[in-house]
Amino acid sequence: MMNLAEALNILVKNEYLVESVGVREATYEEFKKAFNDVVRNEIDLYYKDYSDDEKEEVYESFMASIDDIWDMRIHAYTTDGTDSLVLTPNKDGSHYVYSMYIRPEKRDGSAAIALFKQALKDSPNGMSFHTHKGNKLARAALRLGFKEYPSSNPHEIFMANKEGIGGNEYWANED
């Protein structure tokens, strides 16, 4: 028979029980650090076969856009300055999760769900995001009313909580 502590641990691990985590707006410096971690993570996931020089070139190209991303954000949330969720506007009035990063040692905790729930609360016209296949957040998003839609990238899935809303291809500030 399972004791209460074991049962609660299973609930937390599977994100059925989320302890209270404070969410606040990230500072620019916190955003830069988290974005650096996002980019390094993306390079590790998608550019494994690149040489070190090619990886550095990809890194530099992503990091060159950091000020533009900061300027177009609606929100850049954090729980403790090491994690981040950045919302950007879509032309249709919905919001797009431009980036989200949770440090590996915190991925079994409740920070991701807390950030995601705050973003949902601040996105009354809908929210969408792309993520790599197998991302744990995608399973949680399904429980929060998101649906999976086809993506042009074979390594990713596109998710939205309202049918017909755009992804980053529909950013409000792009012509």
Side-chain angles (χ1 to χ4, degrees):
M1 183 177 231
M2 185 180 311
N3 69 32
L4 180 60
E6 291 170 324
L8 288 173
N9 191 27
I10 289 170
L11 290 172
V12 169
K13 184 175 181 174
N14 290 299
E15 300 171 346
Y16 296 116
L17 180 67
V18 177
E19 51 191 73
S20 180
V21 174
V23 175
R24 63 175 172 80
E25 288 290 327
T27 66
Y28 179 68
E29 290 304 315
E30 291 167 335
F31 162 72
K32 278 181 17 180
K33 171 69 175 107
F35 189 72
N36 177 71
D37 291 341
V38 167
V39 171
R40 293 289 183 200
N41 189 59
E42 292 288 312
I43 290 170
D44 289 345
L45 281 172
Y46 298 120
Y47 300 90
K48 293 176 186 171
D49 297 332
Y50 279 42
S51 70
D52 288 345
D53 287 343
E54 290 170 322
K55 287 179 182 178
E56 190 59 29
E57 193 174 307
V58 170
Y59 172 80
E60 293 298 328
S61 70
F62 274 111
M63 294 306 288
S65 66
I66 196 165
D67 288 334
D68 292 336
I69 296 161
W70 180 254
D71 290 344
M72 81 169 144
R73 81 193 183 292
I74 294 172
H75 293 285
Y77 303 112
T78 189
T79 64
D80 65 2
T82 66
D83 52 30
S84 172
L85 185 148
V86 177
L87 280 179
T88 57
N90 284 326
K91 288 180 183 176
D92 61 11
S94 66
H95 295 162
Y96 181 75
V97 178
Y98 180 86
S99 68
M100 182 169 182
Y101 184 74
I102 306 295
R103 296 180 61 78
E105 64 272 11
K106 290 176 54 181
R107 289 184 184 160
D108 284 339
S110 55
I113 298 300
L115 291 169
F116 202 73
K117 284 184 174 181
Q118 183 65 49
L120 275 170
K121 188 189 315 182
D122 292 338
S123 301
N125 294 324
M127 192 169 89
S128 62
F129 63 96
H130 288 85
T131 189
H132 62 88
K133 290 184 177 181
N135 185 315
K136 190 175 179 181
L137 179 61
R139 284 197 327 263
L142 291 171
R143 291 193 303 269
L144 295 171
F146 281 76
K147 292 183 181 171
E148 184 179 330
Y149 296 95
S151 174
S152 59
N153 183 324
H155 303 289
E156 292 182 339
I157 55 174
F158 175 70
M159 300 195 76
N161 67 344
K162 291 188 179 180
E163 191 170 341
I165 66 173
N168 63 335
E169 66 274 16
Y170 299 110
W171 283 335
N173 64 339
E174 292 188 353
D175 294 323

